[in-house]
Amino acid sequence: MSFIKKHPMWSLVAASLFFSVALSFIYLLISGRDNPIVAFGKSIVLSPFAGALFILPLSLMIMEILGLAYESNGSEIKGMYIVDLIVLFLGIIYERAYLEFVKNVTNSDWQEQLHNSERHTPIYSKAGLTVFMVFLIAIIGYFVLQYIHIEKLPPLVVVFSISAMYLGIIQLIVFTIQVFNLNFDPSDCLILYLLILPICCILIAARTIQRKIHEWNTMKMEMSKINKKPILTISQKIIENARLWPAIAIAFMFPLLGIIIMVLVVFGQAPDSVIKAWTETSDWVLSQRQAPPNVYYDEHYLCTVAAGGHRRVVKPIRKGVRHGHEVIVNRQLCIANAFEEVIQEKTPRFHKALRNFYDKYGFPIAKLIRKKWQADIVYIIMKPLEWIFLLVLYSTDVHPENRIVVQYMGKTKSSKL
């Protein structure tokens, strides 16, 4: 424990690497695919990734628990402020990555129509400034308490800093409630990692407040207030009682929040943005809005382009039906599907090879198209092929436009693309 106290960062790195190697090795052995020597070699290679994704967050939480335990006993772990910064930095990155890549969360508000499994933003964009400012003031409150010694801090500044941290933690808890689904799929154990950041922030706040209380109690105070004014004397005794700071900070949260709201009103934020940030959303726990149903399109890249690009570029013409799902189609998609239909009728073997090639490369490409401009680029790249498809149709079909216009209307023999 003395090594952890003196070298918290080395302890953190060593623990993360050790447990990641151990868990990777155990997993490879249980899978039964490799012998112990090969499994150990693979675990060494996998350990940095496993450690960064799974072990490091847990190690950070354990380190914060140890830091609070030491602080409660009147001691401290040197360099814990570095651990705090890592928690804040990685916590934000990990949560954002989980929501974007695992839960497929977008930055779109509830009014916008999304596609497939996409989800609307959990924070109402028009109230985003309010949410940001509350978090920013909470971080400033932490830095004030962490980096300025108690000798240079008036008691009221300490109390307001604690209040700011309280507001940030409350908002973080609300955010976690918003995105955390208690009826989650047991296979999605990663969602439990969403709890690590609020837990660590609560531990950081508790440890920081305790340190300031210890500093205040050990500092020699020079009492020079005038006893002729009993009200001032009572107020002085209350505010200079360090043990009361956490409780007083709770009362100071409300005027501090009021000040924040009044300042943000000047910048165009609604007075109730603190509430609307969570209720003016859809798809989440605290949401009060019903978003339009998602439009389904298959993961083939032409379907993705027709539904995902800018309207003035990809030129969607109507909605259609594919495999029982509603899709958005444009002329390029209809021409490509009509071309495939002709190939299927006249050269079945070539169509099979073409279909296998498309299935092999179409799905991976479609998954990379996540932005409108990316769909626009694919649409432009496909233009020469569209003209070739159109040339083939006009060369082989008696009524090519009739074949094109009925694509994805539930009347064609096949709708592949």
Side-chain angles (χ1 to χ4, degrees), residues 93-334:
I93 292 178
Y94 284 0
E95 291 213 2
R96 177 65 183 178
Y98 173 81
L99 292 175
E100 183 170 350
F101 297 109
V102 179
K103 290 301 183 182
N104 208 10
V105 174
T106 68
N107 293 321
S108 302
D109 283 322
W110 66 271
Q111 305 97 327
E112 298 184 40
Q113 190 170 54
L114 303 181
H115 307 104
N116 287 17
S117 62
E118 291 178 339
R119 304 186 72 173
H120 295 88
T121 174
I123 302 175
Y124 185 41
S125 62
K126 292 184 178 179
L129 180 60
T130 299
V131 175
F132 172 77
M133 287 305 300
V134 171
F135 280 135
L136 179 61
I137 290 174
I139 293 173
I140 292 174
Y142 163 76
F143 279 112
V144 168
L145 295 178
Q146 177 67 47
Y147 294 100
I148 302 178
H149 196 270
I150 195 68
E151 292 179 349
K152 301 178 180 179
L153 285 177
L156 274 180
V157 174
V158 176
V159 171
F160 271 112
S161 298
I162 296 173
S163 298
M165 293 177 66
Y166 283 171
L167 287 176
I169 290 173
I170 291 173
Q171 185 169 260
L172 181 58
I173 292 173
V174 172
F175 174 78
T176 305
I177 293 172
Q178 176 83 318
V179 301
F180 191 90
N181 185 4
L182 295 178
N183 298 320
F184 65 91
D185 186 350
S187 62
D188 184 18
C189 295
L190 287 177
I191 196 172
L192 296 175
Y193 279 75
L194 293 177
L195 302 176
I196 292 179
L197 181 60
I199 291 174
C200 285
C201 288
I202 292 172
L203 294 170
I204 290 171
R207 193 190 73 249
T208 305
I209 293 169
Q210 276 198 340
R211 182 183 304 117
K212 288 303 167 187
I213 293 175
H214 290 158
E215 288 178 3
W216 181 269
N217 290 334
T218 56
M219 187 179 67
K220 292 182 179 180
M221 299 295 299
E222 294 182 359
M223 306 301 294
S224 59
K225 299 294 181 181
I226 302 174
N227 295 326
K228 294 181 179 180
K229 296 184 178 180
I231 295 178
L232 293 179
T233 304
I234 296 172
S235 301
Q236 174 190 328
K237 289 182 179 179
I238 293 174
I239 203 68
E240 290 184 352
N241 187 348
R243 294 184 180 277
L244 295 179
W245 286 350
I248 298 173
I250 295 175
F252 275 65
M253 278 196 309
F254 302 101
L256 178 60
L257 182 60
I259 294 172
I260 296 172
I261 291 173
M262 286 189 293
V263 171
L264 290 176
V265 166
V266 178
F267 294 93
Q269 293 287 284
D272 56 350
S273 292
V274 175
I275 299 174
K276 282 187 174 180
W278 315 106
T279 58
E280 290 292 307
T281 57
S282 180
D283 310 331
W284 305 100
V285 175
L286 303 177
S287 299
Q288 298 294 318
R289 296 295 184 179
Q290 182 64 46
N294 286 18
V295 174
Y296 176 88
Y297 59 76
D298 289 289
E299 298 297 340
H300 296 279
Y301 65 84
L302 286 186
C303 288
T304 305
V305 167
H310 290 93
R311 294 181 64 86
R312 66 181 182 275
V313 178
V314 301
K315 300 179 177 65
I317 53 178
R318 58 177 170 83
K319 292 182 179 180
V321 178
R322 185 184 189 278
H323 293 169
H325 296 284
E326 190 178 74
V327 295
I328 295 176
V329 299
N330 60 359
R331 180 168 173 80
Q332 185 179 80
L333 178 60
C334 291

Side-chain angles (χ1 to χ4, degrees), residues 10-72:
W10 284 110
S11 303
L12 189 64
V13 172
S16 298
L17 289 176
F18 173 79
F19 285 107
S20 59
V21 170
L23 290 177
S24 300
F25 180 66
I26 293 172
Y27 171 77
L28 292 172
L29 281 183
I30 293 176
S31 64
R33 299 177 182 176
D34 303 306
N35 60 55
I37 297 177
V38 175
F40 182 74
K42 287 185 176 180
S43 65
I44 295 294
V45 176
L46 293 174
S47 60
F49 305 99
L53 292 176
F54 305 110
I55 306 301
L56 183 58
L58 295 174
S59 300
L60 288 169
M61 185 172 67
I62 293 172
M63 187 64 69
E64 292 292 352
I65 294 173
L66 291 175
L68 179 60
Y70 272 104
E71 194 67 50
S72 300

